[in-house]
Amino acid sequence: MSNAQRIFSPLALGLALMVTVGCGPSNEQTKATAKAAAKNAPAQQVQFEVDGNTAIERIDINGDKRPDVYKFFRVEGDQAAKANREDIKKVLIRKEMDVNFDQKIDIVQYYAGESGKEALIREEMDLDFDGRVDTTRHYKGGYISLVELDLGFDGRTDTWRYYQLTKTDDGKAVNRLVEKRRDTNGDGGVDVWEYYTRGKITKIGYDSTGDGAPDRFKRLGKKK
């Protein structure tokens, strides 16, 4: 994990976020990081190609004349409209990013929806740059619903975090962690369940029989 943190420099991460911010849930810290990186970023070089019903946009965000971001689109409309690139109707379906500029894809995002209203539905990330996905985020309505993690960086998912959109006491929307499931022995099955209330862990369940269900529980905090 320390290796990933070292390579993911603020500038590299900020440059990648420049082309992603605004496509998912609001995050003021993310926007600030992207804005700060943009001040020192070179001018973006963009290449756009249309091939039948598909199109690809290649973006060089660090000025080394090599693409770092790829946007894939589904092109709608007749061939005449496709010939005029300014008038084509395109739908973003996937975005691939090389955030440490080694010409290898580190983040892949998948989108769904109509043109101009595409929504991020899944995001896969290689945090330690070994070519394998370590984190997968699933989105619903612009908010994270599930995060799958490979915290052992061995190619196997061992942690699942579930989120739920709720409201604060003053009525503001907040996306909170409600449950975390873990595979602690590496056999591919969940054996520990953590339950959260208002973002705080309140109960832990354990599978002591190996049947895939919690049978022993530990409550945390004050009883109500």
Side-chain angles (χ1 to χ4, degrees), residues 69-80:
V69 177
Y70 302 82
K71 293 182 180 180
F72 298 86
F73 301 88
R74 182 178 71 251
V75 177
E76 299 180 345
D78 57 29
Q79 294 297 325

Side-chain angles (χ1 to χ4, degrees), residues 11 13-21 33-35 37-39 41-42 44 61:
L11 178 58
L13 180 58
L15 288 169
L17 291 173
M18 287 168 58
V19 296
T20 62
V21 69
T33 301
K35 185 176 181 180
K39 293 182 179 180
Q44 296 185 12
I61 59 177

Side-chain angles (χ1 to χ4, degrees), residues 186-198:
D187 66 352
V190 177
D191 46 56
V192 176
W193 291 256
E194 297 177 3
Y195 304 94
Y196 295 76
T197 301
R198 291 182 177 272

Side-chain angles (χ1 to χ4, degrees), residues 3-100:
N3 182 47
Q5 292 174 339
R6 182 172 63 253
I7 301 178
F8 251 117
S9 70
L11 178 58
L13 180 58
L15 288 169
L17 291 173
M18 287 168 58
V19 296
T20 62
V21 69
C23 295
S26 175
N27 187 317
E28 295 302 324
Q29 185 176 2
T30 296
K31 292 178 181 178
T33 301
K35 185 176 181 180
K39 293 182 179 180
N40 298 321
Q44 296 185 12
Q45 301 295 322
V46 180
Q47 297 177 347
F48 187 77
E49 297 179 7
V50 179
D51 183 10
N53 293 319
T54 61
I56 181 172
E57 184 176 272
R58 299 179 179 88
I59 305 173
D60 170 19
I61 59 177
N62 68 339
D64 65 353
K65 298 182 180 180
R66 298 186 300 180
D68 310 298
V69 177
Y70 302 82
K71 293 182 180 180
F72 298 86
F73 301 88
R74 182 178 71 251
V75 177
E76 299 180 345
D78 57 29
Q79 294 297 325
K82 295 171 189 176
N84 186 343
R85 296 181 181 181
E86 296 181 357
D87 297 333
I88 66 171
K89 183 179 180 180
K90 59 185 187 296
V91 180
L92 179 64
I93 56 176
R94 190 171 79 255
K95 186 185 297 182
E96 300 180 357
M97 290 167 279
D98 167 22
V99 300
N100 64 335

